[in-house]
Amino acid sequence: EYGSLIQFILDSDSETNIYAQSISTAFNNGTNSAAVTYPSTSLANQLKSVARFISGGLQTKVYLVKIGGFDTHDAQVESNLTTHLGEHADLLTQVSEAINCFITDLNNQNLGDDVIAVPFSEFGRKAAENGNLGTDHGEIAPMFVFGKSINPGVSGTNINLSEAILANNYQ
C-alpha cells in the first residue's frame, strides 16, 4: 500500500547523497584566491565557500547567504552626533568587506564575468529615526546588483523622503 511513498523517500535519499557528493567534490576541487584574506565573519565565511564552490565547478545557479542583526529599532548609531559609528555601521562594514573579498576572489580567478550578486533585505526600513537612535520597519529597501557584466548606474524611481525630512524637523 505504501510502496510508492517509500520508493519516493528512498529515491530522495539517493538523490540527496548524489548531490551532497557533488557539493563536496566541487568544494574540494575549488580554491580561493591566495591574494584575498577574508575577514572572520559569518557572511565572509559563507561567501568564501560560495567562491570555492564556483571555482570548483558546482553548477548551482543561485546561492543564498545570510547576515542577521539588521533589525535595529534602537541603538542603531552611537549618538545623534556620531551617526557613522554604531551597530548599523558595523553591520554595513561586515557586508562591504565580505562582498569586496568575494568579488576580488572571483576576479582573481577569472570568474568575475560569470557572477552577478544581489544583496537585499527581507524587510524595509523607515528613512526617519524613531527617537531611539534606530529605525522602524517601513517601505525603503535598496537593492544592489553588481558584477562585471552589470552596467553601472542607478535604476528606478527616487523615493519620497518627506517622512524623514518632516521627522527631523520636529526633533
Side-chain angles (χ1 to χ4, degrees):
E1 172 178 347
Y2 298 107
S4 63
L5 295 175
I6 291 172
Q7 190 59 51
F8 174 78
I9 292 170
L10 292 171
D11 291 346
S12 295
D13 180 58
S14 176
E15 290 172 14
T16 300
N17 288 329
I18 291 168
Y19 187 61
Q21 185 58 51
S22 297
I23 292 170
S24 181
T25 299
F27 186 82
N28 291 333
N29 289 340
T31 62
N32 293 103
S33 171
V36 176
T37 302
Y38 284 85
S40 294
T41 63
S42 175
L43 181 63
N45 288 331
Q46 293 172 68
L47 289 173
K48 183 178 182 180
S49 293
V50 170
R52 192 162 170 177
F53 288 139
I54 294 168
S55 172
L58 191 62
Q59 297 298 306
T60 300
K61 300 294 183 199
V62 176
Y63 294 88
L64 178 65
V65 298
K66 296 180 181 182
I67 180 174
F70 279 95
D71 202 3
T72 51
H73 292 278
D74 59 9
Q76 187 170 323
V77 296
E78 285 189 4
S79 73
N80 285 326
L81 302 176
T82 58
T83 57
H84 66 287
L85 300 175
E87 183 179 352
H88 193 72
D90 293 344
L91 287 165
L92 291 176
T93 298
Q94 284 184 46
V95 171
S96 176
E97 290 174 348
I99 289 173
N100 182 54
C101 288
F102 176 68
I103 293 300
T104 302
D105 190 352
L106 293 176
N107 287 339
N108 287 353
Q109 297 187 67
N110 297 316
L111 297 167
D113 290 330
D114 301 328
V115 176
I116 295 172
V118 184
F120 65 94
S121 174
E122 79 275 13
F123 60 85
R125 304 303 289 187
K126 292 190 176 282
E129 181 186 305
N130 63 12
N132 294 320
L133 299 176
T135 54
D136 294 321
H137 296 260
E139 299 80 33
I140 299 172
M143 180 183 290
F144 300 95
V145 180
F146 59 87
K148 278 188 163 183
S149 60
I150 299 296
N151 291 327
V154 176
S155 179
T157 305
N158 286 335
I159 58 168
N160 181 346
L161 293 175
S162 60
E163 166 205 338
I165 294 167
L166 289 172
N168 287 331
N169 287 337
Y170 294 114
Q171 290 182 357

